[in-house]
Amino acid sequence: MRRNLDDRLPPLEQFVRRISGAPPSCARSLTLGAQPMPATAFMELALDQAKFALDNLEVPVGCVIVENGKVIASGSNRTNATRNATRHAEMEAIDVLLQEWQSIGLDQTLVAEKFAGCDLYVTCEPCIMCASALSILGIREVYFGCPNDKFGGCGSVMSLHESLLSDDLTGSQDTRSRGFKCTGGIMAEEAVALFRNFYEQGNPNAPKPHRPVRVDQQ
Amino acid sequence: MVWELTEVPGNPTPLQHSTVDVVAANIVPKVTNTLIRQLNQVCPLENLRHVKRVRRRVVCGENSELSIILCLSTGPDNCNEGFPEEVQKIVENYHLSPFIAKVASCSATSKEEWEEQCRLWPTSYHPPHDIDGVSGFKEEELPSIFHCMRTAMQLSQVGNTAIIVDPSSMQMISKATDQTHQRDTCLKGNKCAMVEADNANSFPEAIEDKADTLLPSSSRFCNGLDREVSCINPFGWMKQRCTEQKTLPSEGGFLWHPLWHAAVVAIENAAERDRMTFPASTSSTTQPKLNGDVDNCSDDEPAKRLKIVANDEEQSTHPAHSSDLPERNRPYLCTGFDIYLVWEPCTMCAMALVHQRFKRVFYAFPNPVTGALGSVYRLHGKKSLNHHYSVFRIKVPEAYLNGSTDCSEKGCSNSVSS
């Protein structure tokens, strides 16, 4: 569903980079006293990110990454603005963290330790690419909203969150695929509603379908 | 041994021999059209649209025999009863003698399968790659395909290498190597690659002088598994510990990136090239958001400007193509492009290639650990995806791999067959 929609949209102007333009709510810490926040509270923030994507004519998917009950990064889909269809919300949020951690001098091992303590809240099931990426990074847990029937990598099309493989061809644990705990269906209706808005909003700039993209064969 | 190209099917068992029984009858030629029309009305073959209604085959030398499908068979020996009423009428009116025939239950996914199906009963076959012939490439493309792979292998110093090529112009769109580890050349090499790719307008010529040189370090291709390849060892990044942690460049960027496998970087380089080459096409899109005047910004305006830009650029290097240029627009993502990878991609990279809409994926060496295009998974065979590319494996001759090193023959064949 997600990527289908991308077809309708032309890329956007180089608009302000994510954080500066993102809704302010995502930057604040989310702890009420000593009470741990319920999953829905973080999903609300992920939904805010998705709405931000929608406002910018992007496919409305958003996410936040949480460490110790605090939102430490957020991201929204930027596939049109970047003309890079791999710039999903998850990838945007991950890059925020990598940049920050590298800038304070964390090396690979420390970064890996950090990711192992992080949870992701994303409005739509991570696609096969993002699910693989989350496994590569070793993220602890993933919570998602609606399932992604066409590309979902956490149960819908593939199950990359499950630890499987490998007959250990190299004799090293490095090559084993690593799973993560995954919970879906959190505020799924809200996530779907955003997709529906996206459809209804339409797109006056949509490219003509089947436009020629290459020189005819000679 | 020579360079070889084989398609990696998305379906592990492409030759499905599953058939269904239909009731058919021999007919005389002059009633054929009438019967086709009537039967298509009273008994359309809803789930067998790939099956032709009529079969013509030659019996006893030059006599041809025509048979027509009446309806689906409802039982093993149901030749004469249980037809829909209208079909029964046709059988009676035309004095037909129904018999059971077998037809392929699914449309063919390859030319070979189609030929096999037609031995039973003719079917129609629509190859997925209609422009490029049945198997996704033209015979005359082979030299340039192998050439591209040689180029990728030569660029491959450490880890995997990806190059993106527009096959319609043979232009190199971008190239990249794995950037998961911090290396001295890491950031610099990446930037250079992009600039070079921009300049490499006439791609085959640009690399011609290098084409016949030997591989810089071909022995590493012969070990079967290269642990430096990010797709083969996706968790290897965690184990890296820098002796000297460099400071980040102030304008951003990364010293290393766990997800920057060659294919991912190549895609970003191509996207950046797109943004730089065609900046005009974005300028109109946020504007309407601000002033609310969305309707004035049709897709045509930036496109027109782009054509002129493309024209100037292209004419200097490809005069032969100039007549086609009015058709030539900025591509949508990497639609129509090919990507060459020295090693088979992992699931993350393979899915990134789906998102970015590549047309064809070529790789030389399989990745038995995480390979998503044939070795462990067959991502390109997942029907639910909204885009499908074709996948080819290029078998590199041992002689080429052996060229400059003492790589043993055994090691080579292991790497190829695994």
Side-chain angles (χ1 to χ4, degrees), chain B residues 16-203:
Chain B
Q16 296 270 332
H17 298 283
S18 56
T19 59
V20 288
D21 289 349
V22 294
V23 182
N26 291 346
I27 52 172
V28 290
K30 66 177 180 186
V31 300
T32 310
N33 282 337
T34 319
L35 279 181
I36 289 176
R37 216 174 304 124
Q38 288 186 18
L39 283 166
N40 279 346
Q41 261 179 9
V42 301
C43 193
L45 299 173
E46 282 301 345
N47 295 316
L48 296 172
R49 290 180 181 277
H50 58 287
V51 176
K52 309 240 179 182
R53 194 94 208 193
V54 174
R55 173 181 70 183
R56 178 196 296 272
R57 64 177 180 187
V58 178
V59 284
C60 328
E62 53 201 67
N63 287 339
S64 71
E65 171 199 86
L66 285 177
S67 318
I68 192 163
I69 297 176
L70 300 173
C71 60
L72 279 174
S73 164
T74 49
D77 302 311
N78 176 11
C79 267
N80 290 304
E81 53 194 47
F83 307 154
E85 201 178 318
E86 290 90 346
V87 175
Q88 190 63 47
K89 269 187 208 152
I90 291 173
V91 169
E92 284 161 15
N93 289 348
Y94 292 88
H95 311 289
L96 303 178
S97 327
F99 61 90
I100 298 283
K102 286 187 184 304
V103 303
S105 58
C106 298
S107 60
T109 54
S110 68
K111 193 177 175 226
E112 292 72 27
E113 193 182 3
W114 174 60
E115 283 166 352
E116 201 160 311
Q117 288 186 350
C118 289
R119 279 195 277 276
L120 291 171
W121 192 282
T123 57
S124 54
Y125 171 52
H126 304 288
H129 331 289
D130 47 335
I131 323 162
D132 297 289
V134 275
S135 48
F137 63 92
K138 287 182 186 159
E139 203 65 22
E140 59 264 32
E141 274 190 288
L142 285 177
S144 61
I145 287 171
F146 295 143
H147 185 81
C148 290
M149 186 53 83
R150 274 198 298 275
T151 307
M153 289 174 70
Q154 281 153 14
L155 293 170
S156 181
Q157 300 288 337
V158 186
N160 206 353
T161 296
I163 64 176
I164 297 175
V165 176
D166 178 355
S168 68
S169 63
M170 279 314 287
Q171 198 174 14
M172 197 194 309
I173 302 299
S174 86
K175 60 183 177 181
T177 53
D178 285 340
Q179 308 290 334
T180 47
H181 296 84
Q182 179 171 328
R183 297 189 185 102
D184 290 338
T185 52
C186 186
L187 285 174
K188 212 173 80 190
N190 197 17
K191 287 249 164 65
C192 287
M194 211 196 63
V195 176
E196 276 174 47
D198 276 338
N199 294 338
N201 284 328
S202 44
F203 163 55

